[in-house]
Amino acid sequence: MASSDPRTSQLRCSRTPFRNRAAAGPGSYRPVISAAVLALSVTLAGCAGSATGVGPADAARPAAGGTSAASASASAAPGTTQARPPQTSADSRASADPGAATAPAPARLPGLGPRTLAKIPADARQAVLVAGRGKDSSASQVVLYRRTGAGWEPGATWPAHNALKGWTDDHRAGDLRSPIGVFTLTDAGGLLADPGTKLPYDQGPAFTIGGTGFEGEPLTGSFDYVVAIDYNRRPGTSPLDWTRPLGANRGGGIWLHVDHGGPTQGCVSLTRKHMKELLLALDPARHPVIVMGDAESLKR
């Protein structure tokens, strides 16, 4: 989503009211959408970059900081690597082949320093680790971890994009940098129907986006699937909710969303296939978090 105030953006998010979640049933929102909203193609501030200056703030862009647009796009190619074979048990290796030689799961998430580790909630048992290539780069790598009795077990590794200008500890609206930190993941949504996630999911036409990104790439489909990153937002609401507890000047609308082949305005983007896999994997009962920043900053 855009990290700029939607009231000052030429492409605006729809402020859609929502009914009581209980009435909508578990795991879903029930949006009440006006006819005017249904007719709009909305760009959510903070999520899609635009070469014309009218795109959302978090559209994926190519790697910055010594990386060309072409190489950044290449780094976000749809290849997936599996860090290790799937376990036969979600929380224990006990049922796995006792003769199989596997590396022990780390007790701590790798690559993180004491300051970063201290911010991870004690009850978090899923972590999306986003490590940027450099402080000023828009290319990054995502690894999904789960914590078991044996430690933090890595899952799939995916290429990703972050903001055009890289990362910052003090994110501001329109700075074209992704915020560094540890944030909870509580809510999802998208233009497409719920693929089967356990997260509350808001589906509707307000997730429509058009225009072009920083490299002239089309932004269409960028919001087919999104997961709201709980930076300067109210957890437990639709990703479309515009409440900004830290104030509008601190940006917002920072999402995980579908990659369009270039850097974003503040979000983290994955291919559609990997976004769907992530949505299916995230489980609110495991209190998922995202740990994000350039690799050097995460070591602090």
Side-chain angles (χ1 to χ4, degrees):
M1 272 185 74
S3 52
S4 57
D5 188 330
R7 293 170 295 183
T8 62
S9 174
Q10 296 183 49
L11 293 178
R12 291 171 167 70
C13 270
S14 160
R15 302 188 56 147
T16 306
F18 294 88
R19 297 193 181 115
N20 184 287
R21 190 182 303 179
S28 64
Y29 295 103
R30 294 295 297 274
V32 180
I33 303 175
S34 68
V37 171
L38 290 173
L40 290 177
S41 292
V42 183
T43 297
L44 301 178
C47 285
S50 172
T52 61
V54 297
D58 289 328
R61 300 169 190 170
T67 304
S68 68
S71 62
S73 297
S75 70
T80 300
T81 61
Q82 189 69 29
R84 71 178 41 162
Q87 300 297 313
T88 55
S89 167
D91 296 300
S92 172
R93 297 177 184 230
S95 60
D97 181 359
T102 57
R108 299 178 179 180
L109 286 168
L112 306 185
R115 283 173 52 185
T116 305
L117 288 168
K119 296 177 182 178
I120 299 175
D123 61 355
R125 291 188 290 134
Q126 280 185 322
V128 179
L129 179 55
V130 183
R133 182 177 298 173
K135 190 67 177 284
D136 300 321
S137 171
S138 65
S140 51
Q141 176 177 277
V142 173
V143 183
L144 176 62
Y145 285 86
R146 63 178 183 176
R147 185 158 64 180
T148 73
W152 283 100
E153 296 185 349
T157 300
W158 302 315
H161 280 109
N162 51 270
L164 177 68
K165 295 184 178 180
W167 300 90
T168 181
D169 289 302
D170 186 25
H171 179 65
R172 299 287 167 170
D175 66 5
L176 300 182
R177 290 184 179 271
S178 297
I180 298 171
V182 178
F183 311 102
T184 54
L185 300 172
T186 55
D187 306 281
L191 181 65
L192 300 182
D194 183 350
T197 184
K198 294 180 181 178
L199 295 175
Y201 190 91
D202 176 22
Q203 186 268 330
F207 289 95
T208 300
I209 181 174
T212 56
F214 294 100
E215 298 302 312
E217 75 280 11
L219 300 179
T220 303
S222 298
F223 301 154
D224 283 354
Y225 295 122
V226 309
V227 176
I229 296 171
D230 292 339
Y231 167 82
N232 199 18
R233 71 176 299 270
R234 184 174 58 185
T237 62
S238 165
L240 297 174
D241 183 82
W242 284 106
T243 303
R244 298 290 179 254
L246 301 178
N249 67 317
R250 295 297 301 275
I254 306 298
W255 294 349
L256 286 152
H257 64 70
V258 175
D259 187 82
H260 49 74
T264 74
Q265 291 193 27
C267 294
V268 175
S269 60
L270 298 166
T271 66
R272 180 177 284 97
K273 175 179 182 290
H274 299 156
M275 273 300 300
K276 186 174 181 180
E277 290 176 12
L278 179 63
L279 280 166
L280 294 175
L282 292 176
D283 183 352
R286 293 177 173 270
H287 307 285
V289 297
I290 185 168
V291 183
M292 53 192 282
D294 61 285
E296 284 303 311
S297 294
L298 294 177
K299 293 177 182 178
R300 296 176 298 191

